[in-house]
Amino acid sequence: MTQAPTPTADTVRRLVRSLLKESKATANGTEGPDVRPVTEGREHTWWVGTRHVLRLAPDREASVRRRRELRLRDLVRPHVPVALPTSVAHGDWAPGLAYTLDTKLPGGTADEHDVSAVGEADLAGLLSGLRAVPARQVEALGVPRTAPRSLDALRRMAVHAAERLAAADEFDAARLHQLTPPGAAHLAAQTGTAVLTHHGLTGEHVVVSADGRVRGILDWTEAALGDPAEDIAGLAVAVGSPAAVRAATLAGYGARPCLRGLWLARCDTVVRLTDHIEGRATGSLPLLRIQLRRAWEPILLERVTEFKDDETEP
């Protein structure tokens, strides 16, 4: 496999100069728009001035997802009450490697701003809108189907990880005892419940304004037809379990998918923090600790022990 080129500021500036009619001088006087990496260490995503973001696919597999995302966003947009980025230009930035130049959505992220009660209603509209997108149209775009994860297998991983976190004085391992093997089996995903899922609702992908409204959702490259509890889990990590469950309930989801999403988030955050502490994964340690705390916020729904067979319907 040919090694993909490493994008530099000059590479990005030359590409953007060819795409945008207007160019501005940078602080050092170099002709062209002001470009800078969105985050240090993420060399494939760049701010372009104050109104655009350039996303460069690092490999051919990511290029397929980028191109599919353009069509998927147009399909999803009429169904949801929040904004999705709009591409103003797209193509290849290197042979076989895609780019998209998107509009920047105004606002911060869920890692920077708390979501208000009205923002929770925005998230409810997102979840119900995703369920309304016709699966046949989604599959026609090449969006993959994903099988529901085994909550019991994830629980066993999380139990072992929690013991190591407890040894590092990071977590009380006894908290995992709330999820018993029978409980995990009881929360298994039901057949026939697959919907379009964003499948990556981290805090950085949820755009939140200073007043707590959810203004947009970023990065649809991991979207899949699958378990709606995955998006409930993502929201639990992004905005906290109580807000995520309230939004899912407003969207018409019953106790089983809400609790399943809650426990997916809790087990995932325990495993991720353990992997980071033991050197198997990178990322921000403070953020992983915050995500763990959000996922483990208590909710009253945890006391529910009986479920209706049709509770995933509004």
Side-chain angles (χ1 to χ4, degrees):
M1 180 183 297
T2 304
Q3 180 68 34
T6 300
T8 64
D10 286 339
T11 303
V12 171
R13 193 173 292 110
R14 284 195 298 269
L15 174 60
V16 173
R17 189 184 302 129
S18 70
L19 301 176
L20 299 179
K21 295 180 179 180
E22 298 180 2
S23 64
K24 298 179 181 179
T26 58
N28 61 11
T30 304
E31 182 182 355
D34 177 28
V35 299
R36 62 196 185 283
V38 169
T39 306
E40 185 177 352
R42 293 181 59 181
E43 59 193 15
H44 289 88
T45 308
W46 294 72
W47 294 125
V48 178
T50 59
R51 295 184 298 171
H52 299 94
V53 59
L54 181 70
R55 299 158 64 220
L56 307 172
D59 53 49
R60 293 182 185 274
E61 182 179 343
S63 295
V64 171
R65 295 196 300 269
R66 286 272 191 275
R67 297 183 183 109
R68 183 175 65 216
E69 179 190 41
L70 296 174
R71 302 188 299 274
L72 179 63
R73 290 190 305 205
D74 288 339
L75 177 62
V76 171
R77 212 182 306 275
H79 294 276
V80 298
V82 297
L84 278 63
T86 299
S87 177
V88 298
H90 58 88
D92 284 2
W93 69 278
L97 302 181
Y99 75 82
T100 176
L101 181 66
D102 292 344
T103 55
K104 179 184 177 183
L105 298 183
T109 70
D111 292 330
E112 299 168 325
H113 301 301
D114 292 333
V115 172
S116 66
V118 181
E120 291 176 14
D122 296 329
L123 292 175
L126 169 70
L127 294 176
S128 58
L130 290 178
R131 185 165 52 187
V133 179
R136 294 178 65 180
Q137 294 183 33
V138 173
E139 287 187 299
L141 298 181
V143 174
R145 280 187 176 268
T146 58
R149 288 191 287 167
S150 168
L151 184 54
D152 188 55
L154 182 58
R155 180 197 64 83
R156 292 195 299 269
M157 291 175 57
V159 167
H160 292 302
E163 292 172 353
R164 298 195 292 275
L165 283 185
D169 200 25
E170 290 276 356
F171 184 74
D172 179 5
R175 301 173 80 181
L176 258 297
H177 297 166
Q178 299 173 47
L179 182 62
T180 62
H186 205 47
L187 294 176
Q190 294 179 291
T191 58
T193 58
V195 301
L196 175 62
T197 61
H198 180 278
H199 224 71
L201 288 174
T202 60
E204 66 178 345
H205 293 156
V206 180
V207 179
V208 181
S209 57
D211 62 357
R213 292 292 303 270
V214 176
R215 300 299 184 180
I217 302 294
L218 308 177
D219 195 349
W220 292 77
T221 54
E222 300 299 326
L225 279 166
D227 183 3
E230 293 287 356
D231 277 354
I232 299 173
L235 290 178
V237 174
V239 302
S241 288
V245 169
R246 286 192 294 266
T249 302
L250 282 173
Y253 285 107
R256 180 182 281 112
C258 288
L259 285 172
R260 177 174 167 79
L262 175 73
W263 280 105
L264 286 172
R266 289 179 171 179
C267 293
D268 280 341
T269 52
V270 167
V271 171
R272 288 173 192 154
L273 181 57
T274 304
D275 285 345
H276 184 284
I277 289 175
E278 296 185 348
R280 291 187 297 275
T282 59
S284 166
L285 182 58
L287 179 58
L288 288 171
R289 286 172 172 151
I290 291 171
Q291 291 175 342
L292 180 76
R293 175 181 56 77
R294 289 175 183 156
W296 282 88
E297 291 174 351
I299 62 170
L300 292 177
L301 187 59
E302 293 178 78
R303 299 182 181 183
V304 174
T305 58
E306 297 179 1
F307 309 99
K308 298 178 183 179
D309 290 338
D310 62 349
E311 67 185 356
T312 57
E313 296 302 321

